[in-house]
C-alpha cells in the first residue's frame, strides 16, 4: 500500500516537471532547465525575473478551458418577475424586424423570457433529406422573440371566471 502511494507521488512529480518543460518550450538559457531538475541550484532566483519568454504562453492555452461553459445556452435566463403575457394573448411587436405586426402568442418560455408569436420572427430552415431518394426541404419556422419587444393589446384565454350568484329560493 505504501509503495504504491510513493510510486504515484513520484510519477506525479515527474509528470509535473514534464509539463513545465513543455510549457517553457525551447529556451536559450540552460540554467533555467537545470533549476527545474535540481531544486538546490542558485540560478533559480534569476530565472523568475525573465518574463519575455513567457509572453507567448497565452496563445497556447485552449479557448474552451472549462467543458461546462461550452454547452451553455446562448439565451440567458432573464424572465420578468410577473409575466404580463400568456398563451392566446394578442400582442403588438414594438421592436425588431417585424415592428408593428399584431398577432397572438403561441408558446411562452418562462425560464428564458422568450415567446413564440404566430407569423412573427419567421426564419427559413433548410432541412436535409433523411432517406435515400428523398429531397431536402425549406421550412418557414417561427423563432422565439424576447418578451420586452412585445406589448399586450388584449388579454386572451386566461381571464378570471366571474362569480354567478344563485337565485334566492323563497
Amino acid at each position: 500500500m505504501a509503495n504504491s502511494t510513493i510510486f504515484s507521488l513520484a510519477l506525479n512529480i515527474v509528470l509535473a516537471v514534464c509539463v513545465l518543460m513543455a510549457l517553457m518550450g525551447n529556451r536559450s538559457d540552460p540554467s533555467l532547465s537545470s533549476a527545474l531538475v535540481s531544486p538546490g541550484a542558485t540560478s533559480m532566483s534569476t530565472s523568475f525575473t525573465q518574463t519575455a519568454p513567457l509572453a507567448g504562453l497565452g496563445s497556447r492555452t485552449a479557448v474552451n478551458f472549462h467543458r461546462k461553459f461550452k454547452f451553455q445556452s446562448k439565451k440567458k435566463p432573464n424572465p420578468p418577475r410577473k409575466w404580463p403575457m400568456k398563451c392566446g394573448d394578442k400582442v403588438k411587436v414594438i421592436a425588431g424586424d417585424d415592428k408593428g405586426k399584431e398577432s397572438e402568442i403561441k408558446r411562452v418560455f418562462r425560464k428564458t423570457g422568450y415567446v413564440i408569436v404566430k407569423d412573427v420572427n419567421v426564419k427559413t430552415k433548410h432541412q436535409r433529406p433523411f432517406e435515400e431518394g428523398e429531397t431536402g426541404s425549406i421550412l418557414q419556422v417561427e423563432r422565439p422573440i424576447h418578451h420586452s419587444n412585445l406589448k399586450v393589446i388584449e388579454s386572451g384565454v386566461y381571464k378570471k371566471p366571474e362569480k354567478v350568484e344563485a337565485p334566492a329560493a323563497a
Side-chain angles (χ1 to χ4, degrees):
M1 180 76 177
N3 288 340
S4 64
T5 347
I6 293 171
F7 178 72
S8 66
L9 286 173
L11 185 63
N12 284 338
I13 292 171
V14 169
L15 287 173
V17 168
C18 291
V19 168
L20 283 173
M21 295 296 279
L23 284 175
M24 299 221 178
N26 298 330
R27 294 202 173 226
S28 59
D29 188 15
S31 64
L32 183 59
S33 59
S34 66
L36 288 173
V37 176
S38 60
T42 57
S43 66
M44 189 72 162
S45 61
T46 61
S47 65
F48 289 111
T49 58
Q50 299 172 349
T51 57
L54 294 175
L57 186 63
S59 62
R60 293 185 211 159
T61 56
V63 175
N64 292 323
F65 184 73
H66 297 289
R67 185 173 171 81
K68 65 180 181 179
F69 295 125
K70 188 188 288 185
F71 300 107
Q72 284 185 347
S73 66
K74 292 178 184 175
K75 295 177 181 174
K76 303 286 183 193
N78 186 17
R81 289 184 183 159
K82 186 175 179 184
W83 269 89
M85 52 194 76
K86 295 179 173 75
C87 289
D89 289 354
K90 292 257 184 181
V91 292
K92 182 177 183 179
V93 181
I94 58 173
D97 293 337
D98 298 318
K99 183 176 180 178
K101 282 188 181 178
E102 295 181 8
S103 189
E104 99 178 36
I105 295 178
K106 289 174 69 176
R107 188 167 176 197
V108 175
F109 299 101
R110 288 184 178 264
K111 285 188 178 178
T112 56
Y114 280 77
V115 175
I116 292 183
V117 183
K118 186 178 180 184
D119 297 328
V120 173
N121 201 17
V122 178
K123 306 290 181 188
T124 56
K125 179 181 179 183
H126 298 263
Q127 195 164 12
R128 285 185 180 166
F130 289 111
E131 297 175 4
E132 196 171 314
E134 191 178 293
T135 59
S137 59
I138 299 174
L139 305 173
Q140 298 290 325
V141 182
E142 295 157 346
R143 302 296 299 159
I145 186 170
H146 198 259
H147 70 90
S148 65
N149 297 333
L150 301 173
K151 176 182 172 183
V152 178
I153 296 173
E154 70 179 62
S155 296
V157 180
Y158 298 103
K159 291 186 179 178
K160 284 187 176 180
E162 297 176 9
K163 281 189 176 181
V164 179
E165 293 184 22

